[in-house]
Amino acid sequence: MGPEYPNRANTYQGPGSTPFAPPRNNMPISSNSVVGSDASSFRPTSVPGPVIGTGAPGFRPMQPGRPAPAYGPPTSGPIQRFATPQFPAASQVPPPQAANIGQPIVPPSMRPPPPSQGPPMSTSVNRQPQIPSVPIGSPPQSMYSASRPNMYQAAPFTGPPFPGGFQAQQSSPVSPPPPPPPQVPYQGGYVPPQPTTSTPFSSHQGAYGRAPPAASSSGMYVGSSAPPTGGMSDLVEDFSSLSLGSAPGSFDPGLDTKVLPRPLDGDVEPSLFAGMYPMNCDSRYLRLTTSAIPNSQSLVSRWQLPLGAVVCPLAETPDGEEVPIVNFATTGIVRCRRCRTYVNPYVTFTDGGRKWRCNICALLNDVQNDYFASLDATGRRVDLDQHPELTKGSVEFVAPAEYMVRPPMPPLYFFLIDVSISAVKSGMLEVMAETIKSCLDRLPGSPRTQIGFITFDSTIHFYNMKSSLTQPQMMVVSDLDDIFVPLPDDLLVNLSESRAVVEAFLDSLPSMFQDNVNVESAFGPALKAAFMVMSQLGGKLLIFQSTLPSLGVGRLRLRGDDLRVYGTDKEHALRIPEDPFYKQMAADFTKYQVAVNIYAFSDKYTDIASLGTLAKYTGGQVYYYPSFHSVIHKYKLRHELARDLTRETAWEAVMRIRCGKGVRFTSYHGNFMLRSTDLLALPAVDCDKAYAMQFALEETLLTTQIVYFQVALLYTASCGERRIRVHTAAASVVPDLGEMYRQADTGAIVSLLARLAIEKSLSYKLEETRSAIQLRIVKALKEYRKLYAVQHRVGSRMIYPESLKYLALYGLSLSKSTALRGGYADAQLDERCAAGFTMMALPVKKMLKLLYPSLLRVDEYLIKTPNVDDEFSKVCTRLPLVADSLDSRGIYIFDDGFRFVVWFGRMISPDLARNLVEEDSSTEFSRNKVCLTERDNEISRKLMGILRKLREGDASYYQLCHLVRQGEQPREGFFLLLNLVEDQVGGMNGYADWLLQIHRQVQQ
Ligand SMILES: [Zn+2]
């Protein structure tokens, strides 16, 4: 177990002088103010409302029309103000500076006052006598006693978490070893956001045109599939082909579109990789776009597709398959002295077991005495079976103190909740409060878990959750220009200690604001307040947002409704934040180990482009529920929020991927911020987050046979232990392009391409982004064609590697995805942006499912008697995503991992329909008035059973079910027809036309 803040009261060694703002001289000192060491808290002064003391009821819902009690939301009645600006704004927090090296950096708002100064809070009381309700009586300590030593943890975690790690993989074998740890903790410092890398789509241009070498006969591979159309089957080859017409641009009259390749089995991982290197980590953690690494620059330039990896460091494991935990205890973690690679199955032991050779940089390291074991006749350590780190591609090391720059933080959940009228009316508040309450027992990290809440409308409401209270106490701050935190110590509390107060708060939250008529949103100021409260420890900030931010800093305006902007050079600006406030806040949050998740509910434009930035740079996630209404969306919000709260989370994490000499990672894509050139700062990580990266060759020619990759995620586990999760994989270096294609992984390629495309759409028009996707595919297939066309006389046939047979279709789907499709009218701007943020974080399987959803026919199964379980798999036969797949006598489920659409054919038997929905068969399902609920009959139970099983198999989001009846427009079009990606819809090509077009370009 990690240290539990030993001597926390004494750990803070702050700067000698503090920049803490001195009391302003012009502050009126009121006679009833309290000054001095016993100014334990605010005292109500001339508050018109009831004075709340220890005996007063903590918290009552405000009644409209009555003078607001001091603790009510300040929508009417006398306004209570905490107008005293006292803490510097979040954006004024100085970045780490050279002068601060070696010292924890404390945000000014949290720094203790110099001893000579009076408690600063009292000055604020003095200045504004009309303080609202405040708890008095109970807290006898001064503002900066007790939990104040948390101050120590306010140090931003910017040091190199891998001691010596910055020398990393780029050192050459002859370079001197890095200086031994400990190093200067702030070396490398903090690197501002580097969101979009330069034109990712063009990185491999230029080398095309080079004469291809003949296909290597040694690498020849007996094709796993015969060409779908005749004429080629006698050749032993490694490509598939399609006959698209004797002349470019014309279909063979006999071409059956049924033979077009479709990923109806979902994601099929390349098997060769794992087969060649059985000690590699599982592909759920790491996938390469091709597991044949090119040996030369010229080969790289001919590959045309992204060269890189997709990493999901905490991917969920099947039951019973845990990543082994290794504790070296006194030995210290065994790492290469030079390149800091962690010991792994690919290191080799020599010299009777006294030395080991690093597989990444080839340095010969000494084996420490307590790690020594002799070798057997084959050169293997005799104790191999006791060392998972030497046999498994994935292990987790328990990290000793040198991997910490502060004591491991406790899991921390902070909630920033919009309580304006739309949040209340939609029912969001109620569902949210109820869900959080139901999850309290399952939050990770008990009994260390911390929790806190702020609500806001046109003002900001803080809640004292001190465990000695029976009810939380609300404090309202209405001065939005200079936000401060009224009671810094008790806004964030230990959940176990304050459980009763937290529950009381969640129980009363919906009713407290049920009559709120406030339409404003002081989101920006509230965000800054949350930052001030959280910056001591870091943690997860969950934001529930219903109204476009309208007051104070960070207010946003309506944009995106101007049709004329689309198709111009200004179009992309709609997809990025307009106000730098959001990016700056995201940078501050990351620095202080805060991950932000956005839950957005508005029925109007809410500028997801700006809000999502907070999630994007903090390793967070955007959940978007447009026009949320609890009747419809309750289960979705409940499920997704519960998963967010209870899934295992890695806190205050950083991730680095190392690779062998000659290869270097050049760009990273996903939701995170880079802390140095190759270190991803991830305030929180979980199983639903994946990251993509590209690499390049550093040398003209690689001389090694194998390239090794090692992903290391250093994090704090919820139990308080500091851990390093390490995934290691090997891949062969090859001299031939055909082999690269053979070992290509479409899932990884598409995941990387999708991220690159979304990034591109932030700087270019959608149309240009889509063209770039197409061009990439064309170039790849063109290059491939050059390898084989002449030799095998393929004529006008379209040829493609078996491994990439779905690439073109996924490219089409990507172009038709919500994030990238069409123009102004084809997706609402918020929806588009939300989809983009979501896709940036998706693991491979989830991405492919979104791009090519499953379409299942279920009516036969429903009618047949009985048995649900036995035949479930038969239901799961996926159909091509074309309207032709739909039979008007049938019932179908469309499942993209985010929602279900259940389609009722026009001709289904009225009996069947009656069993499933209440309406008679002529009623339309429009406006979501018809809900699919379990009814008391076998058919309904079976259908609900199917949906349940599908959901269980894919739990990262809740698939809300939409009912659609054939011919019911525009509903059918919106929910289903538009998403049948193989059809020609919305001015976009259908699959066959798309292939033809690509084929034509390939032949040019
Ligand atoms: Zn090494």
Side-chain angles (χ1 to χ4, degrees), residues 842-886:
L842 288 185
V844 174
K845 285 185 193 305
K846 196 86 193 143
M847 178 75 85
L848 296 187
K849 175 104 176 267
L850 175 65
L851 293 178
Y852 198 87
S854 59
L855 181 66
L856 315 170
R857 179 168 186 170
V858 297
D859 51 294
E860 278 179 25
Y861 167 79
L862 293 179
I863 298 165
K864 259 195 304 183
T865 45
N867 184 328
V868 179
D869 285 338
D870 288 355
E871 304 196 5
F872 175 72
S873 59
K874 286 187 192 160
V875 178
C876 297
T877 309
R878 295 173 61 170
L879 300 165
L881 290 177
V882 288
D884 282 350
S885 295
L886 302 169

Side-chain angles (χ1 to χ4, degrees), residues 583-645:
K583 210 159 165 179
Q584 182 55 49
M585 283 305 295
D588 289 343
F589 277 123
T590 303
K591 200 189 316 179
Y592 290 88
Q593 302 296 347
V594 177
V596 182
N597 282 359
I598 301 276
Y599 289 77
F601 303 94
S602 182
D603 53 351
K604 303 186 192 73
Y605 177 71
T606 190
D607 201 344
I608 296 289
S610 296
L611 299 177
T613 304
L614 295 167
K616 172 177 173 167
Y617 293 114
T618 62
Q621 197 170 340
V622 174
Y623 296 89
Y624 182 47
Y625 309 84
S627 303
F628 180 89
H629 199 286
S630 60
V631 173
I632 300 159
H633 300 96
K634 178 168 59 186
Y635 293 105
K636 186 168 176 65
L637 175 57
R638 225 185 249 169
H639 175 97
E640 290 170 1
L641 176 55
R643 182 170 174 98
D644 189 10
L645 292 174

